[in-house]
Amino acid sequence: MAEPAAVRPAAPWRTRLAPYRAVLASRVRAQRSYRVSFALDLGSSLLVGIVELAEVWILFHNVTVLGGMTFASIALVFGIADMAFSLADLALGHCDRLPTYLRAGTLDVFYLRPQPVLAQLVASDISLRRLARCVVGAAALGYGLTAADVRWSAVTVLLLAVTFVSGWAIFAALFIWAAGLQFFLVNGAEMTNAFVYGGRYAATQPGRVWPGALKVVFGFVFPVAFAAYLPVLRVVDLPSPHPFPAWAGWCAPVAAAWAWAAALACWRWGMRHYQGGGG
């Protein structure tokens, strides 16, 4: 009687991640090889972030308090939201190229490789220029932490750390959500950008001034209100706007879990719908 074949042990995580590391490293080297172009990309990205922060400063320069928040408080919101979005954009912002892959049939190549299609899409590129945006967010965050009336304690530090990680997860889920919808839309990137980049803009503003419809959209459907605004209200001891309860600031991980569950469901739905590029 033949002996049963030995079970092959599962490959370690380092081996499984090696192909993704190799692809990302090649993308990084390619961008850094053209130093002048890379510097210009960093400068333009930094300028965009400065302009967006300047918009907030001009608004609060003319209105001392908006939605119950001062400029120092909203700088804290802007810093957390902008840094979280910039890092999510760095890791997954290139997923908006999926419509091009669909039209060209490039996505079909992903099915031939022994890796998940979504993981290949995420690792297909990386835009280092988006790192410059983090500088603006970090500056706003530093100012907000020093100028705002933050009630410092171990609980506050924990809340800020949880908020930043959850904010990154929420914005990252929005990119996956938008990518999943591209399987059903024709040139629909502009439509999905309305809630991805529009959600980023909404996350940097005081949610109290949102009309009722936007509170539903950006508070519950695409929960960017939990990425910075609601937790910061707890940090600076301000009341939450209707219909959010006072403890809503601690629900950022729940909002992130909901965003990822919906995003992955949308992606799987789109993958089942996809019939190939016809090549």
Side-chain angles (χ1 to χ4, degrees):
M1 183 175 179
E3 296 182 359
V7 178
R8 179 179 297 180
W13 280 107
R14 182 175 299 179
T15 303
R16 296 182 182 181
L17 295 177
Y20 306 109
R21 292 201 305 267
V23 172
L24 291 176
S26 66
R27 298 292 187 268
V28 171
R29 287 195 300 269
Q31 293 178 50
R32 294 178 59 188
S33 61
Y34 299 95
R35 297 182 180 180
V36 175
S37 177
F38 181 57
L40 291 175
D41 285 342
L42 287 176
S44 62
S45 182
L46 179 63
L47 181 60
V48 170
I50 293 174
V51 169
E52 291 176 346
L53 180 58
E55 291 178 358
V56 178
W57 179 82
I58 291 173
L59 178 62
F60 279 84
H61 181 71
N62 293 278
V63 180
T64 306
V65 178
L66 181 64
M69 305 191 78
T70 63
F71 176 70
S73 299
I74 204 63
L76 187 56
V77 175
F78 182 96
I80 296 175
D82 195 61
M83 284 190 65
F85 180 86
S86 297
L87 293 176
D89 196 15
L90 172 70
L92 298 120
H94 52 274
C95 290
D96 58 6
R97 298 181 183 176
L98 183 60
T100 303
Y101 296 161
L102 294 174
R103 290 194 299 269
T106 308
L107 188 68
D108 293 0
V109 180
F110 290 3
Y111 285 89
L112 303 177
R113 300 168 182 163
Q115 286 93 20
V117 175
L118 180 58
Q120 293 184 66
L121 179 63
V122 171
S124 63
D125 200 359
I126 187 171
S127 296
L128 295 179
R129 62 182 178 84
R130 295 184 172 102
L131 285 173
R133 290 287 301 271
C134 296
V135 176
V136 179
L141 177 60
Y143 173 79
L145 290 175
T146 56
D149 188 17
V150 178
R151 308 301 172 87
W152 286 107
S153 66
V155 175
T156 299
V157 174
L158 175 63
L159 178 57
L160 288 173
V162 170
T163 299
F164 184 78
V165 175
S166 301
W168 180 91
I170 290 171
F171 289 123
L174 292 187
F175 284 108
I176 302 301
W177 209 332
L181 291 177
Q182 302 308 316
F183 291 104
F184 305 94
L185 303 174
V186 179
N187 295 326
E190 295 299 326
M191 191 205 77
T192 55
N193 285 346
F195 66 79
V196 175
Y197 294 94
R200 177 259 163 210
Y201 181 80
T204 60
Q205 306 299 318
R208 191 179 296 274
V209 301
W210 296 347
L214 286 184
K215 287 182 180 179
V216 174
V217 172
F218 292 124
F220 299 100
V221 182
F222 309 114
V224 297
F226 294 88
Y229 172 66
L230 291 174
V232 167
L233 291 181
R234 297 293 88 228
V235 170
V236 297
D237 196 21
L238 289 175
S240 300
H242 179 78
F244 303 102
W247 42 264
W250 286 97
C251 295
V254 178
W258 148 248
W260 268 101
L264 292 177
C266 184
W267 174 261
R268 294 191 184 98
W269 183 32
M271 291 286 290
R272 289 195 297 267
H273 174 78
Y274 182 61
Q275 300 298 320

